[in-house]
Amino acid sequence: MEGDGDSVIANTTKDPPLPLPATKDAATTHEAGGGDPAAAAAGAMVMQSAPRPQSTVAGLAKEAAQLFHARSYQGCLLILHQLQLHNDEDPKVRHNIAVAEYYRDGCTNPQKLLEVLSQVKARNEELARAAEEQLEGNSSASTSGSTNGSGGNGGLSSATRTNSADVVAYMEDYDTSIPNLNYAMMMYNLQRYADAMAVLEPLYRNIEPIDETAALRVCLLMLDITLASGQPGKAAEVLQYVEKAFGYLLPPAETPTTAPSLPSSTPSETESLMTTTEQALARTSSDEGLEDYPVTLGSLEIDSSQNLGSKTPVTLVVAAREKPIPPVDVKLLLHLYRGRLFLSARNLKVSKREIKSALNLSRENTTALLLKAQLEYSRGNYRKAIKQLTMCIGRADPGMRAMVLNNLGCIHHRMRKAQTSALYFTKALQASSERSGSLSVPAFSQDKSLAIIYNAGLQQLSFGKSVLASRCFQEAAALYYNRPLLWLRLAECCIVALEMGLLENTSTTSREVKVTVVGEGAWRRVVLPVGSLNPTVVNGLKLDESEGDVQIPDKSENWFMSGKPRELSLSFAIQCLQIAICLFDRGDAKAAEAAAEAAVAAAEVKDGDDSQSSKGGGGTPTGEGRDSKGLLAAASAIEEQKKQETAALRMWALAAISHCQIGVGHPLRALRSAEELLRQPSCARPYLLLGHVYAAEALCQLGRPQEALDHLSTCLNETTAEPTNAGTEDESQLKWKSGDNSEASGDGEDSAAYTVGALGDAVSVARLTGTSARASLYTNLAAVYAMQGNLQEAQRLAQLALTMTPTNPTAMLAAVFVELKLERMETALALLKQYRHLCVVSSSKGLSQHD
Amino acid sequence: MLPCGSPLPAQIGLQVSNLSKDNYISVAEELYELSSDGPDGSIILLRNCLEQVNLAENDQNLQVKFDLLTLVIRNLIHQPNLGTILCEALRFLPSVSEEFLANLCRALKLSLPEQIALGLALADAEDYSQRQQGLAFFETKVKELCEDPVPDLSEDLVERILWGLYSSEALLKLRSSFLRSLPALQPFAVDSLTMIPFFKDVNKEVNTLREFDYVTISESLLSDTILMDMEHATDVVSLLEELGFDCTHSVEHCKEILSQGGPLLEGDVARILGTVARTAKGLEEVQNIHGPFYNTLCNGEAITSKLSSWRVDILLGAINQLNPSLNWSLIVSSLDYEGFFLPDENAFTLFMTMYKLGCEDPFPIDAICSHVWKNDEGQLSFLRHAISAAPEVFSFAHSTRKLMETEEGNLKSPNHAWFSLDLLEILCRLAEVGHIDQVREILEFPRNHCPELLALGLVQVNIIVSLKGTQGSFQEEMLSLVLRPQFSQVQFTTEEEAIAPLWSKLWSLNAEMLKMEMVNLLSSNDRSAYGQVLQVCRGLKVLHTVLNSMPSKVALKFAVFASRKGSLNLEKWLEEEISIHRDSFASVFLSLTEERHFTLDEMDVSMDHSEDQQFDISAAILKVLYAASGLLSSGILVNNIARARGSEAANSLDSNVTPIEPSLQEFKEIDVDKAANLYFERVYRGEVPVQTVVNMLQQFNQSPANSYEWKQILPTGHNCD
């Protein structure tokens, strides 16, 4: 699920994403200055140069913050510039100026802001270092309330009580967490999640000293990113931390365990909780007026996270409020996050409860409504889901509208309304590209067109429009380039195009046989093309030279042109598949690492929990324990699901590589992939069949029919062994997709829909384990026997195949071929006549290789 | 894989070993052709070249062979299956080592990238040591490349190298140095789609590749054309079907839906009509997706009423407004799309209603009947309902080719279906492509109700059957079915009396088909057939024509029958036939007389016949045959005739029948000279090969009866040599 964690920030993000922190920064400073003892300390820096202005400065800062929140950026800037006059070294002021300017300019110049942010960061670090040094000098005799606070250095804990206020204030002055957070948010908004995470991680790891609101934002941003990038484990961890550290733990009463029995009690409990949290947060929320726009960010879930077949789930939007986030909103957010997490773990019951709680808090919350739609979608209640979405769309802004349309597209896809679904996707893309005026960063951040276009591509592919689909996927690669699924889909496009005869140079398209005459006199020969698989299927790669110059096809020069879509070819398919496999491998390696780390981390967390819970005392330890278990279980369920998907996808990829390598006439590699496929642990039945057949084909091409025969016979034995199980086994193979939620029972009829797409291949093979697969095995065996000269056997098998599937042209051709080999022209002719209505459209791979 | 004994290896081997400066170009071209289809040729070619280069140290053509090898290798390097070809070609070479590759590359002056490609290809080998050698060579060369970058590496090779580097953990270090030097090697590589994963860390989180700055400049979040392409890819027809009946709520609304895709063209309209007609009886499941669709994507108020069927007037109104200049005959021809099918009569009626709403012209029958569609099932479903439609729904009256109308016919085929030759023809064609049973079923009705029309139509249908085999074409089969009852209505009388006008019409329309049908009838075991056919022939006064075009065997039997009935002078007819067809006829006749029971039974029971009669016939035939012996070229045949006649004569002696045969003496005097000359004349004209005559003469030589006569002509045979 993609996060709209943005949202969180988002709220910030959306309209004034950055500002909040920024403002906050400004605000805090002031606030502190105004009412707090700490203010003195805060003011310290300012005061350094001009002791007198302290109060003025504080006043100005406060005013600036107010103006900022009122969106009067110009006025705010005026005051900030005034402040700058007091101390133009103050990084905070610079920072706030940059943020205000960024907003004033309509959020269109992120580069400038980023520069200032890094400068401020650098400057702060410098100052902090300088101050530390200074402090070290004075450390023994610190003077409280003086211009320079003194105290322990970084390790706050060491500071004495008296010092601590100063020290904290001090550190706050030089604190880089706010600029860092802003930086991360900017990165997030620019959709550079990895960069954002790189900044956030350290912040999160050392979150204690950070101002509470900022810390919350750090966490929420983390949540958004982790959820968006499919790291449920980490997300669960962060979520748990937030619940504990910020005192929102309690809602769990409503959550998983006890649930069904006490629906009535829930409301009251919630209420009470709310009050408590509010109190706790009272200080923060007392701040000035919140921004009144709940901002919604949409996020989309892309189907990529689920595997192939399933179409995308829906989205979410989260609305958050302004900077000092009112506790109710935080609660809301947490419910939403939990809902999302459980939803992607397909724990629909719990997720339903979470969403309900969220809706209880805010009836109108769009994110919650969207999540609810997604829930209904997951349960197979498409009509309800549609209803929910159409309710949302009325009040949606364009970005939001795009997401709702996308979700509608997903639902219709599941309902097998292919064209309607495609149209929704198209409209979603149009909506997301409609824009008045120049593009602003928030708009960019909110833009989900890459996710939508992936979905659209999938939809096109399911109609067989492989060329358009591949363009969509290539476009989506900008965001999903590290997802193996994307590459598998691209390869699938190539294969589908080949099957439909869209690739050049395959004989599938033309019925004519091209004959070349070579040589002279006694040496004159007529050259017939060998089979349908020309090694140069690669578009345009056919070298038409006879002079000796090797011509590099023009295409290759263009390949590199950025932005130019790659054309489909078998070579391209192979590349994509290799990339996918490479990503699987890397993913496995990472997962192994991560698992090791997680083990360590888990141990730590546990310690932390223990200490905290013992300290906190008041909490409900059991509820808490259960709750966290629920989250973690959800996370691990997702991981488990992913693992299975990966295994299945890897098999698909290997089979596809083998297929394509045979297509380009590279049997050595085809054989290698097929053998690797057969080595996969618990290789599913359909893949087993494919593996053996491809291996046999490759071996035939390599002139080793005996080995091919072994493969085919093994395969035949395996399929005959337990023919009745075939169906059920395959079903269960595929079942992992549909989840095992009791509540998802409505899904039953849809489970087939899950497998549209790449897996569809496997499924069709699986279905074939009945007669068609058997018949094609017989056909292949017949071909191999014919190659070996065992014509009797060949004839027997060809006949078997033909009787099994009288409408299969390949089987018929095999029979004819064997008859011809036996020199029984009459019989062959009679066969041809008898089956003349079978026009042979598809190329018969098995045969063409041998005759 | 090559079949054993394929001439390909031999040919390639020969060409390579015979290579010289002079024939270089032509040989190279030929070899290119031989090896360009499939990997086998390439493997053999490469193997041969390598062997030649290895063997021939003192070969004066060595240089040329090197050139060829270079050419071959350079050519192969860009093939995606270089690995297989190289490894297979090297499979039988004893020692393939890194050194071998290095030497080869040096000798051929291959460029560094080419060397790398070779090394990589060898790494595909199944043999472990070969693979290691290949990898080692590859590693060395890539190192060289990193130190001394060659610009403009082909991106294909860049990718291959990268995959090579990723294949083994041992190459990790080299991998990073290669990636570092990549920009120098191929500056665009970084932007290539398939390179992305190499340059990006595989974090769970990613940085989108879409740069904010870039997007702001281009002002578009996606590539320019893709949205437009997607819009054009919208298929309004499926949309219509998915959304259901409510689409025809109002013209405006319908227009809105139909304009979601590109402009509405004839093909689309055809599919719309087809879809609407097919789904007329109801859509499988109405999931009520129309309402939300309408609310979200169209700007209208919610629709309250729910339609339970298509409102075609609205639909057609919308179509005509969207594209007023539709060509309806093009629309009808466009019905040949995958999925067109009219399940029942209602569907057909609805379709025609729509057609009439859209276009006032008569229905373009040509578009339906001129050729077999790709979707022949669909075509058949259309025709089936069109045929049985009421005249006000559909009429074939304006077919381009049709039978003369008659009152009676009009009654029996109110919508003129069976007057239409176009229709009949397309039905026959459809039967030929595998719909025999259905077409038969369709023709059942006219066969029972207006057989004359059908017969007249069938003889005019003109189709060429491609795979004409033992079983006749559908057209013939059908004609038999229709005509048998007609024949059986013919009463055989001894008088020549008028027959139904149908026959003369059939005769004048297509005498060939009628004759063929007669033959079929005669060959059947129907005893009354002879009489019926004869009666018809007499009625048409075409007995001779018919006889002449029949296969000999049937013709003879029929002639015998006719002569019995007094319609034919058998002997005269026989003589004529023999003089025209000679051997072929004679042998058939002879074989028939030899089947002692070439019976008259099969002709007509009512006809009283006896052994005698049978003898008479056989004797008459033999007499004519014998008399015509001189015209025959086959000695054996003549011999057999003589022998048959001999035994016949013997029989007749027993039964006191006077031999009809002329005496030997007679024969000699009258015929020998004439016959001999005839033979030689034919030899001279090339009609008979000399050898045949020689053989014949030899046989005569052995035959005591004729030895004398034939010996006589030998002296004149000097030109036989």
Side-chain angles (χ1 to χ4, degrees), chain A residues 420 430 471 475 543 560 575, chain B residues 32 155 159 223 229 242:
Chain A
T420 316
Q430 278 167 351
R471 286 188 53 204
E475 194 82 23
L543 306 179
F560 273 142
Q575 276 173 5
Chain B
Y32 175 76
E155 74 291 1
E159 278 168 12
S223 356
D229 289 349
E242 286 168 17

Side-chain angles (χ1 to χ4, degrees), chain A residues 415 575 822:
Chain A
M415 295 167 85
Q575 276 173 5
L822 287 165

